[in-house]
Amino acid sequence: RQMCIRDRLTHANMVASINANHLAVPLGPTDEQLLALPLSFVFARITYLTAVRAGTMTAFCTGTDRFIEELQQVRPTFFTAV
């Protein structure tokens, strides 16, 4: 089976998404995100790598059942969800 063109996720696509996010969202070294999504999600990887590009700290949630507790501990400036 040939892969449909819409199914392709290339390195260039990822870099373009990260750069677009970096320009659109003002993040910096004083920001911190709490990432509760698994890195197997493309959205989570792009969010994480956008933060890396901006010099932003990322804390990884240890489980959805602990999200509220870790939100209070980490006190992130932002988090993303789906």
Side-chain angles (χ1 to χ4, degrees):
R1 171 181 171 250
Q2 284 190 333
M3 187 183 300
C4 295
I5 194 73
R6 70 178 184 274
D7 293 337
R8 292 185 185 176
L9 179 61
T10 66
H11 181 263
N13 296 135
M14 293 284 288
V15 170
S17 292
I18 293 162
N19 288 336
N21 288 344
H22 182 70
L23 292 173
V25 182
L27 297 175
T30 60
D31 292 303
E32 184 170 1
Q33 76 167 314
L34 178 59
L35 188 59
L37 300 171
L39 287 175
S40 60
F41 287 26
V42 173
F43 179 66
R45 268 184 274 163
I46 289 173
T47 301
Y48 169 69
L49 292 172
T50 298
V52 169
R53 187 182 191 297
T56 299
M57 173 102 44
T58 298
F60 293 92
C61 187
T62 59
T64 54
D65 57 326
R66 298 202 44 189
F67 180 74
I68 299 299
E69 178 185 339
E70 291 177 358
L71 190 64
Q72 293 168 341
Q73 289 175 354
V74 175
R75 300 183 60 84
T77 53
F78 76 102
F79 66 90
T80 54
V82 293

